[in-house]
Amino acid sequence: MFSFKKGYKAYIHSISNIDILDSVISSVKMGNTWIYPELMQFLIQSIPLNENQKNKLLDKLTIKELEVIELVAEGLNNNQIAKTLDLAEVTVKKHISSLFKKLDVKDRLSLALTFKNFK
């Protein structure tokens, strides 16, 4: 995982199908980091936040943003989040963009890691 600190932008299995590869390429071209949801969950569970950090972050977010960030942390994509929360996909994108700004993160992995200890 320390490879990401060295500038790597994606991690995929060698047996990944073409759809996953297309998703990875698209994500990296947009400046994001891409990893499998299972690996993201492992990373999320490995970084603790203290109570003060949690409270400061929670105070910044709306209830809907908390719902969205929780689903991002579960590895759902925007379309899946939209269906789960009965929102338009564009609304999900707006919430995620707002979360990026409020939490000063640049990609979904960082967003999910920030959420790790909110519960």
Side-chain angles (χ1 to χ4, degrees):
M1 290 312 100
F2 299 106
S3 299
F4 288 104
K5 289 182 180 178
K6 293 182 179 182
Y8 288 85
K9 296 293 181 185
Y11 174 82
I12 62 173
H13 295 291
S14 61
I15 58 172
S16 298
N17 66 38
I18 191 68
D19 292 331
I20 292 172
L21 187 56
D22 285 341
S23 176
V24 171
I25 291 169
S26 176
S27 183
V28 171
K29 279 184 178 179
M30 292 188 308
N32 297 318
T33 301
W34 193 99
I35 62 171
Y36 275 95
E38 297 84 4
L39 180 55
M40 183 184 297
Q41 285 298 323
F42 171 78
L43 292 172
I44 290 168
Q45 294 169 0
S46 68
I47 298 177
L49 289 176
N50 67 41
E51 284 301 314
N52 191 33
Q53 289 170 314
K54 281 192 242 183
N55 292 333
K56 283 182 182 178
L57 293 174
L58 285 172
D59 288 344
K60 293 181 180 183
L61 307 180
T62 67
I63 291 171
K64 193 56 72 177
E65 288 171 335
L66 286 168
E67 292 173 352
V68 170
I69 196 173
E70 181 175 11
L71 296 173
V72 168
E74 289 178 14
L76 275 64
N77 64 35
N78 291 352
N79 186 39
Q80 293 167 322
I81 294 170
K83 288 179 182 177
T84 301
L85 298 178
D86 195 28
L87 298 171
E89 192 169 349
V90 68
T91 303
V92 172
K93 290 178 183 180
K94 287 179 183 179
H95 282 304
I96 291 174
S97 177
S98 175
L99 287 163
F100 283 175
K101 289 177 186 170
K102 286 182 178 183
L103 301 177
D104 193 29
V105 297
K106 296 183 180 183
D107 56 49
R108 292 174 82 95
L109 175 58
S110 299
L111 187 60
L113 289 171
T114 301
F115 174 75
K116 188 243 184 241
N117 282 319
F118 279 10
K119 293 183 187 178

